[in-house]
Amino acid sequence: MIIRPAVPQDVLSMARVNVETRRAMYVDIFPAELLARASPERIAERWMKNLFTEPNPPGCFGLVAEIEGEITGFIMAGPARGTTIGASAEMYTLYVLPRCHHLGIGRGLMQQAAIHLRREEHTNFFLWVLTANLPSRKFYEGLGGEICGQRFEEVKGYALDETAYIWRDIQKFINIGEQN
């Protein structure tokens, strides 16, 4: 497995990973209409703008994981977006193809993103996850994330229940990851 910075040519593959993973993992926890309407091309267009042409927020970045030249997972992270959670950095999104779960890809992506954030002087980070997404919540708790918030996020007319996890010491997270 190789983890590297995302480049513009990766954005459509990243969007395909996003859509395939959501359709496989979010059945019964995400509105079926939204899963059916998800378009890798539309998502890629938005991410191209947000990551490369007009970074939003400034300082955001993406990393991809590749196995034998195929993008199998990705993460996007950067400065915290308008929050009262109490962390300076945020992991915006993390997806790994379901057939590649339990290979260390998600952990590796989070580890490398944390290293990048630390270089940018961030000392902590957080993320949001769908509250009903129990496998992901277990994953984040296994990596030392602590529940620190709850919200309802509106997405295309649907209110999605989300839980926030925080890592209060980014260096400790990095150190633990380097030991594994």
Side-chain angles (χ1 to χ4, degrees):
M1 171 183 59
I2 296 169
I3 295 177
R4 62 170 175 77
V7 296
Q9 295 81 0
D10 296 327
V11 174
L12 183 58
S13 294
M14 293 164 61
R16 287 181 178 135
V17 168
N18 172 272
V19 170
E20 182 178 332
T21 304
R22 284 193 292 152
R23 286 182 176 158
M25 303 301 296
Y26 287 5
V27 175
D28 299 326
I29 64 171
F30 202 80
E33 177 188 354
L34 294 182
L35 291 175
R37 287 190 337 207
S39 161
E41 292 76 17
R42 281 196 308 270
I43 292 168
E45 184 178 312
R46 185 175 70 244
W47 288 352
M48 180 66 78
K49 179 181 175 185
N50 288 348
L51 281 175
F52 299 107
T53 59
E54 298 173 29
N56 184 20
C60 68
F61 62 93
L63 301 173
V64 296
E66 287 183 329
I67 296 177
E68 297 178 4
E70 178 190 15
I71 292 178
T72 55
F74 71 92
I75 193 166
M76 289 189 278
R81 300 171 291 184
T83 181
T84 59
I85 294 295
S88 64
E90 181 178 355
M91 304 276 184
Y92 311 134
T93 187
L94 169 65
Y95 283 93
V96 174
L97 290 172
R99 62 183 160 78
C100 297
H101 285 184
H102 309 290
L103 298 178
I105 295 170
R107 176 186 298 266
L109 285 164
M110 283 189 69
Q111 174 78 13
Q112 292 304 308
I115 290 168
H116 182 97
L117 291 167
R118 183 68 189 114
R119 279 192 217 117
E120 297 296 318
E121 305 295 320
H122 294 284
T123 58
N124 49 37
F125 68 92
F126 81 102
L127 56 77
W128 291 101
V129 62
L130 291 171
T131 300
N133 186 347
L134 299 180
S136 291
R137 291 184 62 188
K138 182 178 178 184
F139 171 73
Y140 296 132
E141 289 167 7
L143 294 177
E146 302 171 29
I147 293 174
C148 66
Q150 197 87 22
R151 74 177 180 188
F152 285 92
E153 177 82 0
E154 191 195 315
V155 176
K156 299 189 184 199
Y158 294 92
L160 302 177
D161 184 12
E162 295 182 321
T163 299
Y165 284 86
I166 192 168
W167 285 260
R168 298 183 194 282
D169 185 339
I170 202 168
Q171 191 59 55
K172 181 178 176 185
F173 177 80
I174 292 167
N175 293 345
I176 290 169
E178 289 174 345
Q179 295 170 7
N180 293 328

